[in-house]
Amino acid sequence: MQIAQNSVVAFHYTLTNDAGEVLDSSEGRQPLTYLHGAGNIIPGLERQLEGRAAGDKLNVAVSPEEGYGEVQPQLVQEVPRDAFQGVDNVEPGMQFQADTQGGPLMVTVTKVENDTVTVDGNHPLAGQKLNFDVEITTVRAASEEEVQHGHVHGEGGVEH
Ligand code: ZN
């Protein structure tokens, strides 16, 4: 069975950047399971899995435009240390949920200087070209309920 709209796909992957560093991998875990055509995974990966089948191994390169987007400089902001009340020690690498005009946004602290904290709301993988080593393990048709919900139920999916 080939991957098409409303296929439920499970695959193992290793994600590396252009420097060859491993950023993420499903090794030692359950394969990643998603509903094809529902925007569950980044567009560039979804598009290149189309038409593939269980057992296929492939290498998929994804540009930032089809991945996590380009880095948006306006998402890097300086905020006063006072904005972090209740947090004893604000340090680079900490992540917070920020309320923005566009809704909640996960931001990462990148710099702390005196009373000023620099936060970055870009996805950590924004602006990066991504290389996925993919091995497709299973492909099946989605149930009607899965299609309605826009996600996978059962193993590797949502339990509810
Ligand atoms: Zn559901």
Side-chain angles (χ1 to χ4, degrees), residues 43-52 58-62 66:
L45 184 55
E46 184 167 58
R47 184 174 59 76
Q48 292 180 71
L49 288 174
E50 179 109 10
R52 299 292 184 154
L58 60 154
N59 200 281
V60 177
V62 177
E66 284 197 304

Side-chain angles (χ1 to χ4, degrees), residues 145-146 148-153 158 160:
E145 197 184 42
E146 286 173 321
Q148 275 171 11
H149 288 199
H151 56 225
V152 176
H153 291 157
V158 178
H160 67 159

